[in-house]
């Protein structure tokens, strides 16, 4: 396969994660493997660069052509660290100097240049000249750029290595080697330091690179520049496309808000401006709690009448000492303290605002103490078991019956109860499934509805909606880890639709969410195929094992040792 064919196939793998970045990595990898440009018989041998005697050949990491050599970096030219910053001891005139923060990959950031004092005999030693390769010792060790400005006086400090290559070795080629080995982890093997990594002078000297003859270095550098410019154009095209798609996405999302149907969801997903599934799910839940997901029916029992029925049934149950005398007394007292703030936004026809306590039978805090675990018994639910509206049972913990009784003294959890976490993280919700006996861990609360009044799944969806924290009256507290107050959950403002509409909302949400799940699976499969195709093409071009699932017939031709190589 040729590189031209590879670039022609770009549209087939453009959706692969970081496609352009991987193309850049591929170009550099091919360059140092000798697979990017033709090797010519009249190029000579790289060893002849060293007219003062061929340096000891360094250990090779992969096979290269016979007229290439492996050498240690110490042999490529003059290498030294910059001027020590000792402001008290330094004398001489103030001169501009580069720090490692000024050295970015293949470019310089010159907006913030400092000055240090240099004596006259130090000027030549630390002055930069065009062609000097600067390599960061720390920060991001190995990051490099080439100084090219002949008219600007500039020096460098101790945190930077300056490499001034010998005749026959291009700074640009050395920079390609550093970039490749930074991306493939080879450089990191030379760093020192347990936490803060450094690329010391000794380590840099021991670092090995494959070196081609000068003529081939020049062709490699020119080809890399050409292909990187092409990658720049592809990246720009992607950015422009993403900008257009963002505008189209907003328009398509507005269309979905006006008509939230599977057909319009399908239009969003199967267009070239697809919206992330997570954003679609948020949009669905937002429309649900705004009364825009299904039409209102004026014949439905209004929410204010529903809330009145809830209050009547709740009062009867609590006065009958449900679930126990102490908890019933606590809940009655809290009910009397409930009030809605002024100035709430108007809701859809037949809807009403209520606090969570006003819409429920019980809102009960857990026993806020770590329960002692046992090997088996009653399953203990922790905040980590609740994510994205679902109960997950990973890393199960259990408590004995006596612990369950103590921890559930206020109210024993039942299937159908809604749970909400107050911390770590806050605001995660789920419904206890049928047939499950559980004990609540700390930092979560239980919500139980009056039978035959509210739809549990509607309440779940209202708590999953993106505006949940905006509806919390008693705002979260905590300097480092924020958590919901108990009162913040109890007085949470909840938009209540008629019961019949709640059920229509639940049915529509479940239909749309299932459709998003299916579309997300298709999207993931499409991206995986693109990623596998990219992996297969890269493997073919570089001659490395292909871990992807897509195979590509091989047409690449790479030369044997001692023969000219054709570019791929």
């Amino acid at each position: 396969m040729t590189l031209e064919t590879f670039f022609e196939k770009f549209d087939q793998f453009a959706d692969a994660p970081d496609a352009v970045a991987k193309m850049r990595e591929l170009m550099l990898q091919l360059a140092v493997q000798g697979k990017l440009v033709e090797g010519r018989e009249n190029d000579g041998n790289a060893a002849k660069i060293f007219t003062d005697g061929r340096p000891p050949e360094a250990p090779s990491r992969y096979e290269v052509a016979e007229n290439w050599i492996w050498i240690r970096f110490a042999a490529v030219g003059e290498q030294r660290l910059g001027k020590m910053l000792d402001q008290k001891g330094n004398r001489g005139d103030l001169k501009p100097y580069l720090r490692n923060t000024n050295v970015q990959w293949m470019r310089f950031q010159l907006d913030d240049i400092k000055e240090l004092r240099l004596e006259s005999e130090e000027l030549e030693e630390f002055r930069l000249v065009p062609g000097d390769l600067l390599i960061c010792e720390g920060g991001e060790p190995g990051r490099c750029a080439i100084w090219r400005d002949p008219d600007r006086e500039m020096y460098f400090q101790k945190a930077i290595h300056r490499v001034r290559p010998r005749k026959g070795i291009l700074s640009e080629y050395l920079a390609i080697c550093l970039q490749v080995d930074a991306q493939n982890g080879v450089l990191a093997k030379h760093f020192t330091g347990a936490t803060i990594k450094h690329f010391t002078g000794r380590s840099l000297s021991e670092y090995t690179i494959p070196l081609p003859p000068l003529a081939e270095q020049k062709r490699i550098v020119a080809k890399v520049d050409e292909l990187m410019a092409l990658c720049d154009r592809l990246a720009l095209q992607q950015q422009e496309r993403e900008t257009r798609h963002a505008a189209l996405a907003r328009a398509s999302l507005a269309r979905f808000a006006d008509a939230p149907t599977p057909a319009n969801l399908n239009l969003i997903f199967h267009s070239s401006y697809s919206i992330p599934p997570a954003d679609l799910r948020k949009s669905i839940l937002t429309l649900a709690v705004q009364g825009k997901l299904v039409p209102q029916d004026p014949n439905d029992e209004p929410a204010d009448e529903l809330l009145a029925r809830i209050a009547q049934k709740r009062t009867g149950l609590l006065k009958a000492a449900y679930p126990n005398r102490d908890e019933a007394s606590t809940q009655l007292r809290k009910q009397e303290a409930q009030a809605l703030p002024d100035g709430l936004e108007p809701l859809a026809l037949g809807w009403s605002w209520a606090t969570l306590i006003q819409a429920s039978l019980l809102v009960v805090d857990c026993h806020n103490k770590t329960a002692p675990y046992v090997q088996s018994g009653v399953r203990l639910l922790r905040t980590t078991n609740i994510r994205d509206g679902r109960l997950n049972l990973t890393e199960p913990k259990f408590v004995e019956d006596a612990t369950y009784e103590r921890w559930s003294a206020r109210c024993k959890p039942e299937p159908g109860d809604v749970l909400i976490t107050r911390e770590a993280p806050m605001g995660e919700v789920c419904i206890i499934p049928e047939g499950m006996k559980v004990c609540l861990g700390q930092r979560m609360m239980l919500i139980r509805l009056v039978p035959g009044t509210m739809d549990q799944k509607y309440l779940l969806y209202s708590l999953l909606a993106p505006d949940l924290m905006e509806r919390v009256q008693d705002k979260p507290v905590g300097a480092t880890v924020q958590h919901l107050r108990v009162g913040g959950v109890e007085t949470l403002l909840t938009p209540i639709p008629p019961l019949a509409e709640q059920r229509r909302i639940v049915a529509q949400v479940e239909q749309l969410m299932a459709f998003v799940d299916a579309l997300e699976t298709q999207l993931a499969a499409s991206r995986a195929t693109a990623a596998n195709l990219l992996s297969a093409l890269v493997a073919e071009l570089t001659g490395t094992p292909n871990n992807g699932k897509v195979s590509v017939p091989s047409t690449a031709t790479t030369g044997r040792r001692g023969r000219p190589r054709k570019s791929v």
Side-chain angles (χ1 to χ4, degrees), residues 158-169:
K158 187 177 182 297
I160 297 174
H161 300 282
R162 182 191 65 194
V163 176
R164 188 167 288 169
R166 66 166 62 219
K167 185 177 180 181
I169 299 179

Side-chain angles (χ1 to χ4, degrees), residues 300-357:
D300 289 342
E301 175 196 43
D304 56 357
E305 294 181 15
L306 171 63
L307 289 168
R309 285 198 298 113
I310 291 172
Q312 182 181 15
K313 291 185 177 182
R314 177 181 57 237
T315 299
L317 288 167
L318 295 178
K319 286 188 174 180
Y322 177 87
N324 56 66
R325 188 170 301 279
D326 289 343
E327 189 59 35
S329 176
T330 298
Q331 294 291 324
L332 282 168
R333 174 171 47 80
K334 290 186 175 184
Q335 285 290 336
E336 293 174 357
Q338 296 303 298
L340 293 175
D342 296 330
L344 291 176
E345 292 185 7
L347 295 171
L349 176 68
W351 289 46
S352 293
W353 285 105
T355 66
L356 194 55
I357 278 186

Side-chain angles (χ1 to χ4, degrees), residues 50-63:
F50 300 89
T51 57
D52 52 350
R54 176 170 177 158
E57 192 157 342
S60 60
R61 288 182 263 123
Y62 47 82
E63 187 176 277

